[in-house]
Every structure is written in structure tokens, then in C-alpha cells.
Amino acid sequence: MAASLRAVRQRIRAVQSIGKITRAQELIASSRIIRAQQRMRDAEPYARELTRAVEAVVSRTSTLNHPLTAEPESVTRAAILVLTSDSGFAGAFNTNVLREEARLLRTLRDRNVEPVPFVAGRKGIGWHRARDIEMAHTYNGFSVRPAVSDATAITNDLLEAFDKKAEDGGVDEIYIVRTQFVSMLTQRPLVARLLPLEIEESSGEPEGGPLPMYEFEPSPDIVLDRLLPQYVEGRIFYAMLESAASELASRRRAMKAATDNANDLTERLTREANNARQAEITQEISEIVGGANALADVTSESE
Amino acid sequence: MTLHVEVVIADRELWAGEANMVIAKTLEGDIGILTGHPPVLGILAEGSIVRVLDPEGSGGEDGAGRGVTAAVSGGFLSVADDRVSILAVDAQLGSEVDTSAARSAADEGSGDEDSTEVRYARAQLRAAGEQA
């Protein structure tokens, strides 16, 4: 009996210290997520204005034949940019993104397109290594706090691959697999094609009112030339910020659940320990009483 | 009537406010924008300066025009309906320039006259009111 009481107490201590760790992780994530959301809000004006400018040029240049917007005749290789996290303890965050990627990999292979993964985040890199999937580029060290320079580095690699012909190791399409931050409670894995840009003909008015009739300096073509890479970088940077906020939200939730579970478990184990202790005491008392009775019997008999 | 001006870079809004005139440099040369300017979408010259003159225009105590001056490494200028957006790849307000860092960046790359870094460093110095 004494052995089981010791074992239970040991487990309580272990569970309590796990609970302390997950609680600390939860608090760290909560404090960081506020900053991450602020960073998303700060980046919004740039993303919005850039989108509007691209819409303005694209809607004006009817005979659009820019390499970044033209549909390729045939697609043989496609780059996939995957945004995952550097550290674990984030619930289903990485699993969800990587599941979407796995689906995209299958779809591409079914179309006879060779996927070329560009992977950001240590968890994603590990996932690809474990499955022996070759990666073109890997990036890590910034998943919770991406800087503009990280987005620039990724964009340059992607655009360089996009510039080259498929035969020379280039790609015809670029996809991005990442997590969309809907709210603190909802984050959604999302697959989108980054390049060539999908141009939608719409008859409705664009967001923020009709587009003004811009004059272009020096010319629409040159403006588009410069604008598109900046736009792609902006999109990637914003996606990285969303992914960071999603990672933190997901971690906070996962760690909260883990802390709650640890607390429940501690409570249950404490009860178990109390029962064991009580049983031990009861047994000792009955042993003493039994012993005393036996002694009393012996003395009364001898009288 | 005033212009509403926004100077934004990828991760934040550098400056936003009202102004009566914006002076920038595009690939085609200097452009001055007053209210009622027709819509323009232009490429900013690499390592140039954008000046935003505030509504009072006439200037502060030292006589220099108030408002803000920003160095931009490149990017876009979009004007429509009296709203001016400067979408810079990188930009810095004149008052926030670290002059010694910009000076050493400008000197370091001076062998390479045309690099964006050198031009941007020089623009930063000019924006801070220093000789470049």
C-alpha cells in the first residue's frame, strides 16, 4: 500500500510540473499574439494600397501580356511555398497546413506537374525530410516574428525560379500554402496560386469605389513591371504575418487545453492519493486494534 | 482643401496626415502634387526624397517649411481624389535618420555609384538635412 501512495504522489508532481510549463507557454503565446495582430493591422494599409494599384494598372492595360500575369501554355513544374512554424506545441497548426500541402502535391502529380517545395519553418522542413521530398529552398528562424527582409529573401528566390524556363530548373506556377487568420478562435489552412496572377473579369465595382483613370509614369508596362514584384512580396509578407498570428493563437489554445488537462489530472490523482492514504491509515488502525485485542485475550486467559 | 497623404512601407504606416503639397521624384523627373491633381500612378526614383508640405506651408520658427521629408529607396506614388499614397519598398523620415549609419553606408559603397543602397543612404542624409 505504501508503495502505491508514493507512486501516485510522484505522478502528481510530474503532472504539476508539466502543467506549469504549458501554462507558461500559454501566457507567452497570449502576450505575443497581441503584438502579432498589431503587426498585421500595421501592414494592412500597404497591402490594401498595393492591391488597388495593381487592380488599376491591370484594368487599364487591356492587352495584358506580362509574364507575371500570362497563363503559361503548359505547366511542367510548380513551386509551392509552405509556411509552417519553427517550434511545436502549437496544436494542429502544422498538421493542417501540411495536410493541405500533401493534397496539393497529389493534385499536381496527377496533372503531371513536378512540385518544387519552398519550405519555411523547421516543422515543415522536418516533415519533408521524413518523407524524402526534395526541397528547393528552406527558411527558418522567423516563424513567430517575420521581418520584411525574410519576405524579400523568399520573394527573390521564387521570382528567380519563375523567371527561368522549366527545363532550366525554373517553375511555371507558384502556389502558396499557409494559414489564414480569421479570428482568435478560427484559423484556416489555405491554398492559393500566387503567380501567374489570377485576373478576374468583374463587372461590379472594386472595393473602395471605382478605380480612377490613372496616368502612368513612365508607362503602364513599366509600372506593371515594377509593381508586380513588390506586390508579390507584399502578399508573401502579409501571409507570413497571418501565419505567425495563427501559430500563436493555435499554440495558446493547445497550451490552454494542456494546462486544463494537467489540472484535471492533478485533481484526480490527488483524490487517488487521499484514498490510498486513508486506506493505509485504516489498515494500520485495524492492525493495531487487532493486535491490542489479541493481547487483551492473552492476558485475560492467563488470569 | 488639403491632400490626404500616406507614406507606407511593408510593415507599417510611416506617416499619415494632411498636406497642401507633395513633391516627389519619379523616373520621369520631379513631380509636384497639389489638390485637384489628375490621378497618377508613378514609379519613384530609387533613393529619392519625398517632401510633404503641411497646410500652413509657411514654415516653422527656423523658416524652413514644416511638414515631413522622407527618404525612399524605391516604390510607388499613387494620386487619386486628393489622396496621395507613397508605397515605398523602404523609407525613413528625415527626423528618424541615423545620420552616422547613413553616412558610413554612403561612404562604404561610394565605389559603386549607382547601387540602390548608396543612393538610398544619400537620400537619407539629404532628408535629414545633411550634405550628401
Side-chain angles (χ1 to χ4, degrees):
Chain A
M1 231 6 169
S4 103
L5 180 57
R6 238 191 337 270
V8 173
R9 285 201 172 135
Q10 214 160 35
R11 277 199 71 197
I12 293 176
R13 268 196 301 278
V15 171
Q16 272 173 340
S17 67
I18 291 173
K20 271 181 204 151
I21 294 169
T22 54
R23 173 90 183 126
Q25 289 269 1
E26 180 195 337
L27 290 177
I28 293 169
S30 322
S31 73
R32 284 194 181 153
I33 192 166
I34 295 167
R35 277 238 300 286
Q37 276 184 295
Q38 183 58 43
R39 277 163 58 85
M40 265 173 68
R41 271 197 294 278
D42 287 348
E44 243 158 49
Y46 184 81
R48 189 187 58 228
E49 290 298 322
L50 212 48
T51 309
R52 224 172 130 68
V54 169
E55 278 172 4
V57 195
V58 170
S59 68
R60 267 290 299 283
T61 39
S62 47
T63 53
L64 204 63
N65 202 15
H66 194 276
L68 296 191
T69 58
E71 273 311 309
E73 281 160 26
S74 65
V75 180
T76 53
R77 280 161 64 90
I80 305 174
L81 173 63
V82 195
L83 302 179
T84 63
S85 74
D86 278 335
S87 53
F89 277 5
F93 175 77
N94 290 310
T95 323
N96 286 344
V97 174
L98 292 167
R99 190 189 305 127
E100 286 301 320
E101 195 206 343
R103 194 175 302 161
L104 179 61
L105 287 173
R106 265 200 309 277
T107 325
L108 287 174
R109 288 200 183 107
D110 287 347
R111 280 167 49 198
N112 281 325
V113 177
E114 187 193 339
V116 185
F118 287 60
V119 186
R122 294 199 184 94
K123 291 288 157 189
I125 297 171
W127 186 87
H128 285 79
R129 286 228 178 94
R131 279 160 191 74
D132 260 333
I133 304 174
E134 210 178 301
M135 294 170 279
H137 284 271
T138 58
Y139 313 88
N140 62 55
F142 52 76
S143 78
V144 243
R145 204 178 154 67
V148 183
S149 55
D150 302 321
T152 314
I154 296 176
T155 311
N156 289 346
D157 289 340
L158 283 173
L159 289 181
E160 193 192 326
F162 191 74
D163 268 346
K164 279 194 271 185
K165 283 200 164 42
E167 304 87 76
D168 310 328
V171 296
D172 305 301
E173 284 182 324
I174 299 175
Y175 290 88
I176 179 165
V177 186
R178 44 87 169 216
T179 312
Q180 187 190 21
F181 185 86
V182 185
S183 70
M184 288 288 263
L185 293 176
T186 320
Q187 296 92 37
R188 212 176 281 141
L190 207 66
V191 180
R193 195 175 76 169
L194 205 57
L195 286 178
L197 294 185
E198 315 253 8
I199 293 169
E200 286 174 21
E201 297 277 344
S202 69
S203 47
E205 281 192 354
E207 248 174 87
L211 293 162
M213 293 298 284
Y214 283 105
E215 271 172 36
F216 296 98
E217 275 197 38
S219 71
D221 290 352
I222 298 175
V223 170
L224 195 61
D225 249 9
R226 296 288 193 91
L227 193 56
L228 281 177
Q230 204 178 330
Y231 172 75
V232 171
E233 184 185 306
R235 284 270 307 263
I236 291 179
F237 181 59
Y238 197 73
M240 286 162 72
L241 290 179
E242 273 200 280
S243 175
S246 303
E247 177 190 336
L248 290 168
S250 187
R251 173 163 305 136
R252 196 183 75 148
R253 214 171 38 234
M255 289 302 107
K256 181 160 177 13
T259 311
D260 290 350
N261 287 344
N263 288 343
D264 288 352
L265 197 56
T266 313
E267 210 171 292
R268 226 187 62 213
L269 288 173
T270 309
R271 272 200 204 109
E272 218 170 278
N274 289 347
N275 273 342
R277 195 192 58 207
Q278 194 55 54
E280 218 168 279
I281 294 168
T282 312
Q283 196 186 350
E284 274 171 25
I285 291 174
S286 61
E287 275 165 8
I288 292 167
V289 172
N293 282 346
L295 271 179
D297 289 352
V298 171
T299 28
S300 65
E301 262 167 42
S302 66
E303 268 172 13
Chain B
M1 278 294 283
T2 54
L3 292 165
H4 181 75
V5 186
E6 284 180 327
V7 182
V8 289
I9 52 179
D11 53 357
R12 67 202 167 99
E13 191 172 69
L14 205 60
W15 190 85
E18 303 299 312
N20 73 339
M21 186 172 181
V22 175
I23 303 168
K25 192 174 172 198
T26 70
L27 290 186
E28 302 216 305
D30 289 323
I31 181 170
I33 292 141
L34 296 167
T35 56
H37 195 283
V40 167
L41 195 61
I43 303 173
L44 293 170
E46 286 179 356
S48 64
I49 285 192
V50 175
R51 301 193 40 151
V52 181
L53 306 182
D54 85 345
E56 283 86 56
S58 47
E61 312 90 65
D62 58 350
R66 287 197 302 186
V68 293
T69 306
V72 293
S73 68
F76 289 83
L77 161 89
S78 111
V79 183
D81 305 325
D82 290 339
R83 286 172 51 86
V84 182
S85 307
I86 310 281
L87 295 167
V89 176
D90 196 5
Q92 217 168 15
L93 293 181
S95 51
E96 292 172 358
V97 170
D98 177 352
T99 47
S100 57
R103 170 81 58 199
S104 65
D107 291 344
E108 218 168 84
S110 56
D112 186 8
E113 287 297 303
D114 284 333
S115 78
T116 313
E117 289 79 30
V118 175
R119 287 202 219 167
Y120 181 41
R122 293 216 176 113
Q124 282 175 318
L125 287 173
R126 285 205 305 280
E130 301 250 329
Q131 281 292 318

